[in-house]
Structures are given as structure tokens and as C-alpha cells.
Amino acid sequence: MSFLTSLASAFKGGSDARAPVSRGFVSPWATSYDGGPLGRAPFDYGREVAEAYLANPVAQRSVRIVAEGVGSAPLSCPDERFAQLLAASCGAQPLLEVVAAQLALHGNAYVQVIKDGAGVPVELYPLRPQRVQVVAGEDGWPSAYRYVLADRTLTIPLEDEDGWPNIVHLRGFHPTDDHYGAGCLAAAAPAVAIHNAASEWNRALLANAARPSGALVYDGGDAGGLTAEQFERLKAELQGAFQGHANAGRPMLLEGGLDWKAMSLSPADMDFAALKAAAARDIALAFGVPPMLLGLPGDNTYANYREASRALWRLTLLPLAGKILAGLHSGLADWFAESPTVDLDRVPALSEDREKLWSQVSGADFLSGAEKRALLDLPPLETHE
């Protein structure tokens, strides 16, 4: 069968053949940009994680808010066995928290399904996404996964010998890649670089008496300028006795012919504070966290903290948790019939929405009691005859 015939059959639905896919030319965790006019270096996931999550307080707190929020979300799971798998910790970290953090940072999460002798899942273990590579088949669709650790490589088939899945691959949407998803870290990397650079500038400013440097002006008249020995001695004295926050405010004793000219903040220097705050808001925006929850000064987008918390749940945590739970159930549907969901009635941040819904439903006199319970997703009352 020719390629065009297979493709036509796939779209018509009259054949088992699937439309072929291919690896995209750009993956956010491999090379987000190739160094354009701004001269940015290729995106390196390990380096960006170190600069963002490990070194930037705004990025780390944003990821932790999202990951811990999803990990602590109250679940409604009809199958007790499935609930135990989701509640189990992977090492010292909850499963859902780890998966949410991997999706936020990397855009991909690979959950290995570990089974017992009878082929029943007993553990869900998240693999480090930067170590996993998709092995594509002839049609481009994944046929296996390659786990690379230092000098060792392990190939994990898509399914075991009995046809049960070995790995559940969760990924964010990527418009130009069929195999890998796009994470938030790639979009936040430029803002993280700006924020870190502003922090370094402030640290350097603090190391120089916490104010802009000044200039020593030498007026020796006809004697000429300072000799090399005098210049080096003066420079050493300034560094040892007057530079640094420990020497801030110390009076300076100048020799003949020397005059100190202090330099004030220029408008460009004064913009650093606003630039750093704007970069912090961009980082929070990339990870879907309202800036108010991060304590960023001057952000009045939300009327109060409670409204920002509700927006976090509605716009970020619930969609991400639903994506993770639905993806895990899709991979484990052969063992578990029903998918777990987030129990909205037990989310404190959504209590006001729940109260409004109950008030509206209870005030609807044209609905029967059974219809009201159905609207609230409550089971019908049992009748005793």
C-alpha cells in the first residue's frame, strides 16, 4: 500500500493504519532557540533548571505552588486500588506533585507502570523526563522508550509481552512536535535571565557601599598625573578601607590634589527595580500563578488574596490536575474502569463558588428535590418501603 493510500485510509477510518508522524525539528527542552539577533545560547534543560528552580525564588515558588497544589488536591476515586496507587509516594515525594512539577518544567512526564507477577499494577513511578527518549517506529509513532543514565541505556517497550502498557507518557501541547510536549520553563527562561541579572546587579551594588560608585578626581596642577605606584596604592586603599557594605558611611581622608565626585543614580539605573518586578510577573505568568500569591509588590490585578487563590485553582490547578488524572487513567484503563477526579466540594479556595451554586439551586422552586441533587452531583436519596 502506498503512502498516500495509507494516509487516505487513516483519515477515512476504514483501516487500522494511522497517519504517520515525525519528530519535530524543535523541542523546547533540547533547543528552544538557536541564537538569533539577541545572541541567546541554545536552551539547555539542566542549566535552565539550575538557574530557575534552584537559583530563582520567583520561579521556584511558582513551580512549588502549582506542584504542591495539584499534589494536595482532594480526589474522588471510585476504585480504591487506583486511589492507593495515586496516593503512594515515589521516594519521598507524592506522585501527583512530581508529575505536575515535571509537566510545568519540562513539558513531559513519563510514569512507569510496575506490575506484580499477575500483571496487576502495584506502583506508578515517574521517570526523570530529561533521561527519556522516544523511540519511533516506522510510522513515526512511539514504539518504545529509551532511558539513558550516564553510560547505561535501557530500552523499555511500549507494551509488555501480554500487551499491557509499560509507560504512560503525559505531555503538554507542542504545536510543532509530535513526540514531545512544551513546558513552561522554556517560555519563562528569558524572564528568569532578566530577573537573575537584576539580582546580580543589586548584589554588586551592595558590595560597593550599596550606592553608585563615585570618582576620585586628581588635580595636580603642573605636577602631572599620578605615577603608576601612586595609582595602585590608592586603588588598594579604596578597596580595603572604603569598598563594601561593611565600610559604608566611613569618612574618606583624601590627600592633596584629590577630590571625590559622587555619581547619582541615572534614569537607566533607577529602571532596574521596575525591570526586575516586570520580569518576576512574567515568570509567574508563564507558570500560571497570580503574582499576588507570590507577594510581588505593586501588583493589584486581583481585588484580594482570596480572588487570586480562586483564579489559581480555576485557571491552572484544576486543568492541570484533570489532564494528569485523565492521562493516567487512559494508560491504566485496562485495569480501572472509572477515572478519578478532583472533588471540588473539598477545595477550600472554591467554597464561595460552592455556596453560590447551592443557594441558586436551593432557590429554584421549579426543580424537584431529585433534580436539585442531580445538578449538585449528589446521589439520589434511598427510599425505604
Side-chain angles (χ1 to χ4, degrees):
M1 182 179 293
S2 66
F3 169 79
L4 293 179
T5 305
S6 301
L7 184 61
S9 299
F11 282 110
K12 288 180 180 179
S15 172
D16 293 335
R18 295 180 295 187
V21 298
S22 63
R23 170 68 196 283
F25 293 103
V26 177
S27 284
W29 52 268
T31 168
S32 180
Y33 29 71
D34 55 1
L38 298 181
R40 294 172 180 166
F43 183 86
D44 180 80
Y45 179 72
R47 183 190 69 236
E48 296 300 338
V49 166
E51 293 185 0
Y53 189 83
L54 301 181
N56 189 278
V58 178
Q60 182 183 112
R61 186 56 187 153
S62 298
V63 175
R64 289 176 65 90
I65 285 178
V66 173
E68 292 174 358
V70 172
S72 62
L75 301 181
S76 175
C77 189
D79 196 312
E80 185 63 26
R81 296 176 303 157
F82 201 176
Q84 292 176 357
L85 286 177
L86 296 176
S89 297
C90 309
Q93 300 295 328
L95 171 67
L96 296 182
E97 179 179 333
V98 173
V99 172
Q102 290 176 345
L103 285 175
L105 291 170
H106 192 279
N108 298 271
Y110 303 89
V111 181
Q112 185 178 12
V113 183
I114 301 177
K115 315 177 191 70
D116 59 12
V120 178
V122 294
E123 185 180 358
L124 301 177
Y125 186 79
L127 304 175
R128 294 266 295 273
Q130 68 270 30
R131 296 176 177 172
V132 182
Q133 300 174 359
V134 175
V135 179
E138 294 182 357
D139 59 355
W141 288 81
S143 61
Y145 295 94
R146 186 180 296 115
Y147 185 79
V148 181
L149 177 61
D151 57 344
R152 294 188 300 166
T153 300
L154 175 65
T155 299
I156 305 175
L158 191 64
E159 298 177 345
D160 58 18
E161 57 274 7
D162 297 324
W164 307 113
N166 286 324
I167 286 183
V168 179
H169 181 192
L170 306 174
R171 65 190 186 100
F173 173 71
H174 194 303
T176 61
D177 200 312
D178 293 326
H179 292 164
Y180 300 98
C184 303
L185 181 58
V192 169
I194 293 174
H195 194 273
N196 287 346
S199 298
E200 283 297 314
W201 186 87
N202 289 336
R203 187 194 64 81
L205 183 64
L206 180 64
N208 290 280
R211 56 181 171 80
S213 178
L216 276 177
V217 180
Y218 176 70
D219 184 10
D222 297 334
L226 295 172
T227 65
E229 181 181 356
Q230 291 174 324
F231 179 81
E232 293 298 332
R233 180 178 64 85
L234 183 60
K235 181 179 177 181
E237 290 179 356
L238 287 175
Q239 291 178 345
F242 301 101
Q243 185 173 335
H245 61 277
N247 297 319
R250 174 178 292 187
M252 181 180 294
L253 180 61
L254 303 179
E255 299 180 13
L258 292 176
D259 185 21
W260 175 259
K261 298 293 185 182
M263 296 181 181
S264 61
L265 280 170
S266 66
D269 294 331
M270 297 174 64
D271 283 343
F272 265 91
L275 178 66
K276 186 176 180 181
R281 282 191 287 271
D282 287 344
I283 296 171
L285 174 65
F287 289 103
V289 177
M292 177 178 287
L293 300 182
L294 298 173
L296 297 179
D299 190 273
N300 297 318
T301 304
Y302 298 93
N304 50 49
Y305 189 90
R306 186 166 46 189
E307 181 182 345
S309 180
R310 185 163 61 247
L312 172 69
W313 274 94
R314 288 295 186 188
L315 301 178
T316 302
L317 298 185
L318 289 181
L320 181 58
K323 179 184 183 67
I324 294 174
L325 295 175
L328 291 176
H329 177 258
S330 177
L332 303 174
D334 294 331
W335 294 284
F336 308 105
E338 298 185 54
S339 174
T341 58
V342 177
D343 190 353
L344 301 182
D345 291 339
R346 293 161 54 197
V347 177
L350 303 180
S351 59
E352 288 189 3
D353 296 346
R354 185 169 58 253
E355 292 176 1
K356 291 180 180 178
L357 176 61
W358 287 353
S359 299
Q360 292 173 352
V361 173
S362 63
D365 298 334
F366 56 90
L367 296 177
S368 65
E371 291 173 333
K372 292 180 180 180
R373 295 185 65 86
L375 286 176
L376 297 175
D377 292 328
L378 298 175
L381 293 175
E382 296 182 0
T383 57
H384 301 280
E385 295 181 358

